[in-house]
Amino acid sequence: MLVEDYSHKRFTIAQIAAAAGVSIATVSKVINQRSDVSAATRARVERVIAERGYVTNRISVSLKKERMGLVNLVVPSLHAPSCLEILRGVEEMLPQAHLRLTLTCAHTAENDERQWLNSVIDGSVEGVVLVLAEETERYWHQLRTQGLPFVIIDRPGELGPNSPSVSTTHWAGGRAAVQYLHSLGHRHIGFILDSQAMSCTRDRLAGYRAALEEARIPFNADLIHYGSTTLNAGYVETGKLLDQDHPPTALLTETDEQALGAYRALHERGIRIPEEVSVISFEETILAHTITPSLTTIRQPLYEMGRTAVTMLQNLLEGKALNGTRVELATPLIERNSCGPRRRSHSLEDSSPDHRHQWQKNQIKGA
């Protein structure tokens, strides 16, 4: 009789589920010693695990009730203030979920990616939270293939229906920013964006264009500039916008760092904020509070996104059904001191009072 030797193979939770004829969630329940699994099903899953030695250093620990509880947070950089805010939310929520953190800075090099994947699969990591700066579908496809639970924060592209994610209302934020600036009399609004490949960028631009259309303002492609999310990009692209024959009276940026670069470019040219040019950022990091004048933002709830992702991942690890695979958090306007009436009008009373009143209602006032 031919007996297959599994001793030198590694098996994923998905393969264990298929071999046992159960769902991945059921295997997770068995691993985590949940009581809501029948004795017969539990015995069948444990037998398959024992026969196939599924990632022994992960399963054997779990079955002995000595769960490591490690979660891998993958971020594009630790230099970006937005990533630090997400990290803060993740770190605060992990103890409540009885989980611990490992941190990975994502790289695009194939060898680095393979090394990361091997460390996740072969180690004691039980789940992954992904914050990706570009459309790298291969990351979550590989995790899904390996049967490892994951949640994506601020999806970089279009996800399938079974890919859990936490994002924000990017389209509504883009529309709200333009509506607010229009209420102050602005019609010539520049927009400094990241990559056209990013779905969040496309959504914000679509919201921007929708608000222009509602206000019957023609769309001007010359006012749309693309760069990275850095301070330098904000500085360079703002300079290009100011060099136009008809420079904008207001600027939108996708990050607070870009806004800081815009501040620098405006300051060097002797242009005052907000008396001559207004600035709004799509973020909400510590920079918004610390620069002068303080920065009006379309708030991205980064901290809450980190917390929500951990809650979703905990439910996946415990075999619980999610209320929905896609969570979108609201993006309110935080009004500070970087926006004012268009230059020709130096009083708020002259700039669309009805629209102004609409924005003053129910808005969160920043520090």
Side-chain angles (χ1 to χ4, degrees):
M1 180 176 65
L2 178 63
V3 178
E4 186 169 1
D5 181 10
Y6 295 115
S7 61
H8 295 92
K9 295 183 179 181
R10 292 191 180 276
F11 291 87
T12 69
I13 192 171
Q15 290 170 321
I16 293 298
V22 298
S23 67
I24 292 176
T26 299
V27 175
S28 178
K29 289 179 181 181
V30 172
I31 292 169
N32 291 290
Q33 300 292 292
R34 290 273 300 274
S35 60
D36 52 341
V37 180
S38 70
T41 299
R42 183 183 304 279
R44 186 164 72 253
V45 172
E46 290 181 345
R47 183 172 64 253
V48 173
I49 288 172
E51 289 174 351
R52 311 210 173 189
Y54 159 65
V55 189
T56 307
N57 57 343
R58 176 141 44 102
I59 283 293
S60 60
V61 168
S62 298
L63 291 178
K64 292 176 182 177
K65 297 186 181 181
E66 296 175 4
R67 179 182 170 192
M68 296 294 291
L70 292 178
V71 168
N72 186 212
L73 173 64
V74 182
V75 296
S77 169
L78 287 177
H79 298 294
S82 57
C83 289
L84 295 178
E85 277 295 295
I86 291 172
L87 173 60
R88 191 168 67 88
V90 169
E91 280 190 313
E92 180 166 310
M93 199 65 186
L94 285 174
Q96 301 178 38
H98 305 290
L99 297 168
R100 295 184 297 149
L101 179 68
T102 65
L103 188 62
T104 298
C105 286
H107 300 286
T108 56
E110 184 177 347
N111 289 339
D112 289 334
E113 182 184 325
R114 187 181 300 113
Q115 184 178 12
W116 165 77
L117 186 62
N118 288 338
S119 69
V120 169
I121 296 169
D122 295 343
S124 298
V125 171
E126 298 190 40
V128 178
V129 175
L130 289 160
V131 185
L132 301 176
E134 57 185 23
E135 302 231 20
T136 47
E137 296 183 13
R138 58 187 182 275
Y139 277 93
W140 64 81
H141 285 327
Q142 289 168 337
L143 292 174
R144 184 183 290 111
T145 299
Q146 298 298 328
L148 199 64
F150 66 91
V151 177
I152 299 169
I153 291 182
D154 210 3
R155 73 192 192 284
E158 295 304 319
L159 305 178
N162 298 318
S163 296
S165 67
V166 183
S167 188
T168 63
T169 53
H170 298 297
W171 184 91
R175 177 172 177 263
V178 174
Q179 287 180 327
Y180 175 68
L181 290 170
H182 182 243
S183 78
L184 295 173
H186 296 281
R187 296 175 59 87
H188 213 53
I189 302 168
F191 202 171
I192 300 174
L193 296 153
D194 186 13
S195 168
Q196 297 182 59
M198 297 290 289
S199 62
C200 59
T201 294
R202 297 194 299 269
D203 289 347
R204 289 168 182 166
L205 181 58
Y208 166 99
R209 296 190 66 161
L212 290 181
E213 185 176 348
E214 291 167 3
R216 298 182 180 178
I217 300 173
F219 173 73
N220 183 351
D222 291 339
L223 292 174
I224 307 302
H225 280 224
Y226 291 92
S228 68
T229 59
T230 63
L231 182 153
N232 186 63
Y235 174 78
V236 170
E237 300 307 321
T238 297
K240 294 177 182 177
L241 285 165
L242 294 175
D243 286 337
Q244 295 182 6
D245 291 339
H246 300 286
T249 63
L251 290 173
L252 301 178
T253 67
E254 281 212 281
T255 69
D256 292 354
E257 285 190 275
Q258 286 178 336
L260 188 57
Y263 271 43
R264 177 184 165 192
L266 292 165
H267 176 73
E268 287 183 357
R269 296 174 185 235
I271 300 172
R272 295 171 299 165
I273 306 169
E275 291 85 357
E276 295 173 273
V277 172
S278 294
V279 181
I280 295 180
S281 167
F282 283 82
E283 207 164 48
E284 180 70 10
T285 66
I286 192 171
L287 289 176
H289 305 264
T290 55
I291 59 178
T292 303
S294 57
L295 182 61
T296 294
T297 63
I298 298 296
R299 180 176 182 267
Q300 304 301 299
L302 303 164
Y303 170 79
E304 291 85 351
M305 292 166 75
R307 289 176 57 90
T308 301
V310 172
T311 299
M312 293 175 71
L313 186 61
Q314 181 185 16
N315 286 336
L316 291 173
L317 292 172
E318 294 177 354
K320 297 178 181 178
L322 299 177
N323 292 330
T325 56
R326 180 173 174 177
V327 176
E328 282 195 342
L329 304 182
T331 53
L333 177 103
I334 308 296
E335 187 179 5
R336 295 193 178 92
N337 300 316
S338 64
C339 292
R342 191 170 57 166
R343 185 177 181 179
R344 71 175 187 179
S345 171
H346 292 285
S347 65
L348 289 176
E349 288 76 15
D350 292 335
S351 58
S352 304
D354 292 338
H355 289 152
R356 178 68 177 164
H357 176 70
Q358 179 182 354
W359 270 107
Q360 287 176 334
K361 266 180 76 177
N362 302 324
Q363 289 303 313
I364 300 174
K365 299 296 182 180

